[in-house]
Short mmCIF file of all heavy atoms in Angstrom, two decimals:
data_model
loop_
_atom_site.label_atom_id
_atom_site.label_comp_id
_atom_site.label_asym_id
_atom_site.label_seq_id
_atom_site.Cartn_x
_atom_site.Cartn_y
_atom_site.Cartn_z
N GLN A 30 -5.27 23.49 15.72
CA GLN A 30 -4.97 24.90 15.99
C GLN A 30 -3.60 25.26 15.47
O GLN A 30 -2.66 24.49 15.70
CB GLN A 30 -5.11 25.19 17.47
CG GLN A 30 -5.00 26.68 17.85
CD GLN A 30 -5.35 26.91 19.29
OE1 GLN A 30 -5.27 26.03 20.14
NE2 GLN A 30 -5.77 28.13 19.57
N THR A 31 -3.48 26.40 14.84
CA THR A 31 -2.20 26.93 14.43
C THR A 31 -1.94 28.19 15.25
O THR A 31 -2.85 28.81 15.78
CB THR A 31 -2.19 27.26 12.93
OG1 THR A 31 -3.25 28.17 12.64
CG2 THR A 31 -2.35 26.00 12.10
N PRO A 32 -0.66 28.58 15.34
CA PRO A 32 -0.33 29.77 16.17
C PRO A 32 -1.12 31.02 15.76
O PRO A 32 -1.20 31.35 14.57
CB PRO A 32 1.17 29.95 15.90
CG PRO A 32 1.66 28.59 15.58
CD PRO A 32 0.57 27.96 14.81
N GLY A 33 -1.72 31.66 16.73
CA GLY A 33 -2.45 32.88 16.49
C GLY A 33 -3.86 32.67 15.96
O GLY A 33 -4.54 33.66 15.67
N LYS A 34 -4.26 31.44 15.79
CA LYS A 34 -5.59 31.16 15.25
C LYS A 34 -6.45 30.39 16.26
O LYS A 34 -5.94 29.75 17.15
CB LYS A 34 -5.49 30.35 13.95
CG LYS A 34 -4.78 31.08 12.81
CD LYS A 34 -4.77 30.24 11.56
CE LYS A 34 -4.20 31.01 10.37
NZ LYS A 34 -2.77 31.35 10.59
N LYS A 35 -7.74 30.50 16.05
CA LYS A 35 -8.70 29.82 16.91
C LYS A 35 -8.71 28.34 16.61
O LYS A 35 -8.57 27.91 15.48
CB LYS A 35 -10.10 30.45 16.72
CG LYS A 35 -11.15 29.89 17.63
CD LYS A 35 -12.50 30.55 17.35
CE LYS A 35 -13.57 30.02 18.24
NZ LYS A 35 -14.89 30.66 17.96
N ARG A 36 -8.88 27.56 17.65
CA ARG A 36 -9.00 26.13 17.49
C ARG A 36 -10.28 25.78 16.69
O ARG A 36 -11.35 26.29 16.96
CB ARG A 36 -9.04 25.44 18.86
CG ARG A 36 -8.90 23.93 18.80
CD ARG A 36 -8.76 23.35 20.20
NE ARG A 36 -7.53 23.82 20.85
CZ ARG A 36 -7.13 23.46 22.06
NH1 ARG A 36 -7.85 22.57 22.74
NH2 ARG A 36 -6.03 23.94 22.59
N GLU A 37 -10.14 24.92 15.69
CA GLU A 37 -11.24 24.58 14.84
C GLU A 37 -11.52 23.10 14.87
O GLU A 37 -10.64 22.26 15.00
CB GLU A 37 -10.98 25.05 13.40
CG GLU A 37 -9.85 24.36 12.71
CD GLU A 37 -9.62 24.80 11.28
OE1 GLU A 37 -10.46 25.59 10.79
OE2 GLU A 37 -8.67 24.32 10.63
N GLN A 38 -12.80 22.78 14.73
CA GLN A 38 -13.23 21.40 14.72
C GLN A 38 -12.86 20.74 13.39
O GLN A 38 -13.07 21.30 12.33
CB GLN A 38 -14.71 21.29 14.97
CG GLN A 38 -15.25 19.89 15.15
CD GLN A 38 -16.76 19.88 15.32
OE1 GLN A 38 -17.52 19.84 14.37
NE2 GLN A 38 -17.19 19.93 16.57
N VAL A 39 -12.36 19.52 13.46
CA VAL A 39 -12.03 18.74 12.27
C VAL A 39 -13.02 17.62 12.06
O VAL A 39 -13.59 17.47 10.97
CB VAL A 39 -10.59 18.16 12.38
CG1 VAL A 39 -10.28 17.28 11.15
CG2 VAL A 39 -9.58 19.26 12.53
N ALA A 40 -13.26 16.81 13.08
CA ALA A 40 -14.18 15.70 12.97
C ALA A 40 -14.67 15.29 14.33
O ALA A 40 -14.01 15.48 15.33
CB ALA A 40 -13.46 14.50 12.31
N VAL A 41 -15.89 14.76 14.36
CA VAL A 41 -16.50 14.29 15.60
C VAL A 41 -17.19 12.96 15.36
O VAL A 41 -17.75 12.72 14.29
CB VAL A 41 -17.55 15.31 16.13
CG1 VAL A 41 -18.30 14.73 17.30
CG2 VAL A 41 -16.85 16.61 16.53
N ILE A 42 -17.11 12.07 16.32
CA ILE A 42 -17.86 10.83 16.28
C ILE A 42 -18.57 10.64 17.61
O ILE A 42 -17.99 10.82 18.69
CB ILE A 42 -16.94 9.64 15.97
CG1 ILE A 42 -17.76 8.34 15.85
CG2 ILE A 42 -15.82 9.48 17.01
CD1 ILE A 42 -17.01 7.19 15.22
N THR A 43 -19.87 10.34 17.54
CA THR A 43 -20.65 10.18 18.76
C THR A 43 -20.60 8.75 19.21
O THR A 43 -20.13 7.83 18.54
CB THR A 43 -22.12 10.60 18.51
OG1 THR A 43 -22.75 9.60 17.65
CG2 THR A 43 -22.19 11.95 17.84
N SER A 44 -21.13 8.54 20.42
CA SER A 44 -21.19 7.18 20.97
C SER A 44 -22.06 6.27 20.13
O SER A 44 -21.93 5.05 20.19
CB SER A 44 -21.70 7.22 22.41
OG SER A 44 -23.00 7.78 22.48
N GLY A 45 -22.96 6.85 19.37
CA GLY A 45 -23.83 6.09 18.50
C GLY A 45 -23.24 5.85 17.13
O GLY A 45 -23.91 5.22 16.28
N GLY A 46 -22.06 6.34 16.87
CA GLY A 46 -21.39 6.12 15.62
C GLY A 46 -21.61 7.17 14.54
O GLY A 46 -21.14 7.03 13.43
N LYS A 47 -22.34 8.22 14.88
CA LYS A 47 -22.54 9.29 13.95
C LYS A 47 -21.28 10.13 13.79
O LYS A 47 -20.62 10.40 14.80
CB LYS A 47 -23.71 10.19 14.38
CG LYS A 47 -25.04 9.48 14.40
CD LYS A 47 -25.56 9.22 13.01
CE LYS A 47 -26.99 8.65 13.04
NZ LYS A 47 -27.53 8.38 11.69
N VAL A 48 -20.97 10.51 12.58
CA VAL A 48 -19.77 11.29 12.33
C VAL A 48 -20.10 12.61 11.68
O VAL A 48 -21.12 12.76 11.00
CB VAL A 48 -18.77 10.51 11.45
CG1 VAL A 48 -18.34 9.23 12.13
CG2 VAL A 48 -19.38 10.22 10.08
N HIS A 49 -19.20 13.58 11.89
CA HIS A 49 -19.37 14.89 11.30
C HIS A 49 -17.98 15.40 10.97
O HIS A 49 -17.06 15.32 11.77
CB HIS A 49 -20.06 15.87 12.26
CG HIS A 49 -20.14 17.27 11.75
ND1 HIS A 49 -21.03 17.65 10.82
CD2 HIS A 49 -19.39 18.35 12.04
CE1 HIS A 49 -20.85 18.92 10.53
NE2 HIS A 49 -19.86 19.37 11.30
N TYR A 50 -17.83 15.93 9.75
CA TYR A 50 -16.57 16.45 9.28
C TYR A 50 -16.69 17.90 8.90
O TYR A 50 -17.68 18.32 8.37
CB TYR A 50 -16.07 15.67 8.06
CG TYR A 50 -15.84 14.20 8.30
CD1 TYR A 50 -16.75 13.26 7.85
CD2 TYR A 50 -14.72 13.75 9.01
CE1 TYR A 50 -16.53 11.91 8.06
CE2 TYR A 50 -14.52 12.42 9.21
CZ TYR A 50 -15.40 11.49 8.75
OH TYR A 50 -15.20 10.14 8.95
N ALA A 51 -15.64 18.63 9.19
CA ALA A 51 -15.57 19.99 8.70
C ALA A 51 -15.48 19.97 7.17
O ALA A 51 -14.83 19.10 6.59
CB ALA A 51 -14.36 20.73 9.28
N ASP A 52 -16.09 20.93 6.52
CA ASP A 52 -16.12 20.97 5.07
C ASP A 52 -14.71 20.96 4.46
O ASP A 52 -14.49 20.34 3.42
CB ASP A 52 -16.90 22.16 4.59
CG ASP A 52 -18.39 22.04 4.80
OD1 ASP A 52 -18.88 20.92 5.01
OD2 ASP A 52 -19.07 23.07 4.79
N VAL A 53 -13.80 21.63 5.11
CA VAL A 53 -12.49 21.80 4.55
C VAL A 53 -11.68 20.48 4.48
O VAL A 53 -10.74 20.35 3.70
CB VAL A 53 -11.69 22.87 5.32
CG1 VAL A 53 -11.29 22.35 6.73
CG2 VAL A 53 -10.43 23.31 4.60
N VAL A 54 -12.10 19.50 5.28
CA VAL A 54 -11.37 18.22 5.30
C VAL A 54 -12.21 17.07 4.82
O VAL A 54 -11.72 15.96 4.66
CB VAL A 54 -10.84 17.88 6.69
CG1 VAL A 54 -9.86 18.94 7.19
CG2 VAL A 54 -11.99 17.72 7.69
N LYS A 55 -13.51 17.32 4.55
CA LYS A 55 -14.39 16.25 4.13
C LYS A 55 -13.87 15.59 2.84
O LYS A 55 -13.50 16.25 1.91
CB LYS A 55 -15.79 16.82 3.90
CG LYS A 55 -16.85 15.76 3.71
CD LYS A 55 -18.25 16.37 3.66
CE LYS A 55 -18.59 17.06 4.97
NZ LYS A 55 -20.01 17.63 4.96
N GLY A 56 -13.86 14.28 2.87
CA GLY A 56 -13.36 13.49 1.76
C GLY A 56 -11.90 13.14 1.89
O GLY A 56 -11.40 12.30 1.12
N ARG A 57 -11.21 13.76 2.82
CA ARG A 57 -9.79 13.52 3.01
C ARG A 57 -9.47 12.92 4.39
O ARG A 57 -8.36 12.45 4.60
CB ARG A 57 -8.97 14.80 2.84
CG ARG A 57 -9.13 15.40 1.43
CD ARG A 57 -8.15 16.55 1.21
NE ARG A 57 -8.38 17.65 2.10
CZ ARG A 57 -7.56 18.03 3.08
NH1 ARG A 57 -6.39 17.40 3.26
NH2 ARG A 57 -7.86 19.09 3.84
N VAL A 58 -10.44 12.94 5.25
CA VAL A 58 -10.22 12.38 6.60
C VAL A 58 -11.33 11.41 6.96
O VAL A 58 -12.43 11.52 6.44
CB VAL A 58 -10.12 13.49 7.66
CG1 VAL A 58 -9.05 14.49 7.31
CG2 VAL A 58 -11.46 14.14 7.92
N THR A 59 -10.98 10.48 7.81
CA THR A 59 -11.96 9.52 8.32
C THR A 59 -11.75 9.37 9.80
O THR A 59 -10.65 9.05 10.26
CB THR A 59 -11.83 8.14 7.65
OG1 THR A 59 -11.97 8.30 6.22
CG2 THR A 59 -12.90 7.20 8.16
N ILE A 60 -12.80 9.56 10.58
CA ILE A 60 -12.73 9.37 12.00
C ILE A 60 -13.36 8.03 12.34
O ILE A 60 -14.40 7.66 11.80
CB ILE A 60 -13.37 10.51 12.79
CG1 ILE A 60 -13.12 10.38 14.28
CG2 ILE A 60 -14.87 10.61 12.48
CD1 ILE A 60 -13.56 11.61 15.10
N SER A 61 -12.76 7.32 13.25
CA SER A 61 -13.30 6.04 13.67
C SER A 61 -13.01 5.83 15.15
O SER A 61 -12.22 6.56 15.74
CB SER A 61 -12.68 4.88 12.87
OG SER A 61 -11.28 4.83 13.02
N ARG A 62 -13.71 4.86 15.72
CA ARG A 62 -13.59 4.63 17.14
C ARG A 62 -13.59 3.15 17.44
O ARG A 62 -14.39 2.40 16.90
CB ARG A 62 -14.78 5.34 17.85
CG ARG A 62 -14.70 5.35 19.36
CD ARG A 62 -15.84 6.21 19.87
NE ARG A 62 -15.90 6.26 21.33
CZ ARG A 62 -16.78 6.94 22.02
NH1 ARG A 62 -17.70 7.66 21.37
NH2 ARG A 62 -16.77 6.92 23.34
N ASP A 63 -12.66 2.73 18.28
CA ASP A 63 -12.52 1.36 18.69
C ASP A 63 -12.45 1.33 20.17
O ASP A 63 -11.38 1.49 20.76
CB ASP A 63 -11.29 0.71 18.05
CG ASP A 63 -11.15 -0.74 18.43
OD1 ASP A 63 -12.07 -1.33 19.01
OD2 ASP A 63 -10.04 -1.30 18.16
N ASN A 64 -13.61 1.14 20.80
CA ASN A 64 -13.68 1.20 22.29
C ASN A 64 -13.19 2.53 22.81
O ASN A 64 -13.77 3.55 22.52
CB ASN A 64 -12.95 0.00 22.89
CG ASN A 64 -13.62 -1.31 22.58
OD1 ASN A 64 -14.86 -1.40 22.53
ND2 ASN A 64 -12.81 -2.33 22.37
N ALA A 65 -12.06 2.52 23.53
CA ALA A 65 -11.58 3.71 24.16
C ALA A 65 -10.62 4.52 23.29
O ALA A 65 -10.08 5.54 23.74
CB ALA A 65 -10.94 3.43 25.50
N THR A 66 -10.37 4.07 22.06
CA THR A 66 -9.42 4.72 21.18
C THR A 66 -10.13 5.23 19.95
O THR A 66 -10.95 4.54 19.34
CB THR A 66 -8.29 3.76 20.75
OG1 THR A 66 -7.63 3.29 21.90
CG2 THR A 66 -7.32 4.47 19.86
N GLN A 67 -9.86 6.47 19.59
CA GLN A 67 -10.36 7.03 18.35
C GLN A 67 -9.19 7.33 17.45
O GLN A 67 -8.05 7.58 17.86
CB GLN A 67 -11.22 8.28 18.58
CG GLN A 67 -10.42 9.50 19.07
CD GLN A 67 -11.21 10.76 18.88
OE1 GLN A 67 -11.95 10.94 17.92
NE2 GLN A 67 -11.07 11.69 19.85
N TYR A 68 -9.49 7.33 16.13
CA TYR A 68 -8.49 7.52 15.11
C TYR A 68 -8.93 8.58 14.13
O TYR A 68 -10.14 8.77 13.86
CB TYR A 68 -8.22 6.22 14.35
CG TYR A 68 -7.85 5.05 15.21
CD1 TYR A 68 -8.84 4.19 15.70
CD2 TYR A 68 -6.54 4.80 15.58
CE1 TYR A 68 -8.52 3.11 16.48
CE2 TYR A 68 -6.21 3.74 16.36
CZ TYR A 68 -7.20 2.88 16.84
OH TYR A 68 -6.88 1.82 17.61
N LEU A 69 -7.96 9.27 13.59
CA LEU A 69 -8.21 10.20 12.50
C LEU A 69 -7.27 9.82 11.37
O LEU A 69 -6.08 10.09 11.45
CB LEU A 69 -8.00 11.64 12.90
CG LEU A 69 -8.41 12.68 11.86
CD1 LEU A 69 -9.93 12.71 11.73
CD2 LEU A 69 -7.89 14.08 12.23
N GLN A 70 -7.80 9.17 10.36
CA GLN A 70 -7.03 8.83 9.17
C GLN A 70 -7.09 10.00 8.19
O GLN A 70 -8.18 10.40 7.78
CB GLN A 70 -7.58 7.57 8.52
CG GLN A 70 -6.84 7.15 7.27
CD GLN A 70 -5.44 6.68 7.54
OE1 GLN A 70 -5.20 5.81 8.36
NE2 GLN A 70 -4.46 7.31 6.87
N MET A 71 -5.92 10.51 7.83
CA MET A 71 -5.83 11.67 6.97
C MET A 71 -5.08 11.30 5.71
O MET A 71 -3.98 10.70 5.79
CB MET A 71 -5.15 12.81 7.67
CG MET A 71 -5.68 13.12 9.05
SD MET A 71 -4.76 14.41 9.94
CE MET A 71 -5.25 15.85 8.99
N VAL A 72 -5.64 11.63 4.57
CA VAL A 72 -5.01 11.35 3.29
C VAL A 72 -4.98 12.65 2.48
O VAL A 72 -5.73 13.61 2.77
CB VAL A 72 -5.72 10.26 2.50
CG1 VAL A 72 -5.69 8.95 3.28
CG2 VAL A 72 -7.15 10.65 2.18
N ASN A 73 -4.17 12.64 1.43
CA ASN A 73 -4.08 13.81 0.53
C ASN A 73 -3.88 15.08 1.36
O ASN A 73 -4.55 16.11 1.13
CB ASN A 73 -5.29 13.93 -0.36
CG ASN A 73 -5.10 14.92 -1.47
OD1 ASN A 73 -3.97 15.17 -1.89
ND2 ASN A 73 -6.22 15.49 -1.97
N LEU A 74 -2.94 15.04 2.27
CA LEU A 74 -2.71 16.18 3.16
C LEU A 74 -2.15 17.37 2.41
O LEU A 74 -1.41 17.26 1.43
CB LEU A 74 -1.73 15.79 4.24
CG LEU A 74 -2.36 14.87 5.33
CD1 LEU A 74 -1.29 14.20 6.17
CD2 LEU A 74 -3.29 15.71 6.24
#
């Protein structure tokens, strides 16, 4: 979220390991999950 703008989804990972990325970041971000910790790796920012 940026000031004055609506919060937008970037990436989601389910308990089954399925992932979903917003089109605007697809190919530049990777979401992963390690037990209780999730990560968002962002490149080419």
Side-chain angles (χ1 to χ4, degrees):
Q30 187 170 24
T31 56
K34 296 183 175 64
K35 184 180 179 180
R36 190 172 298 181
E37 64 178 357
Q38 186 182 88
V39 177
V41 172
I42 183 166
T43 71
S44 60
K47 296 288 185 179
V48 299
H49 175 78
Y50 300 104
D52 289 341
V53 71
V54 299
K55 191 173 297 183
R57 299 189 296 113
V58 306
T59 302
I60 188 170
S61 60
R62 189 173 177 179
D63 180 12
N64 293 323
T66 302
Q67 69 163 325
Y68 306 91
L69 188 70
Q70 179 67 54
M71 311 175 72
V72 300
N73 193 24
L74 285 163

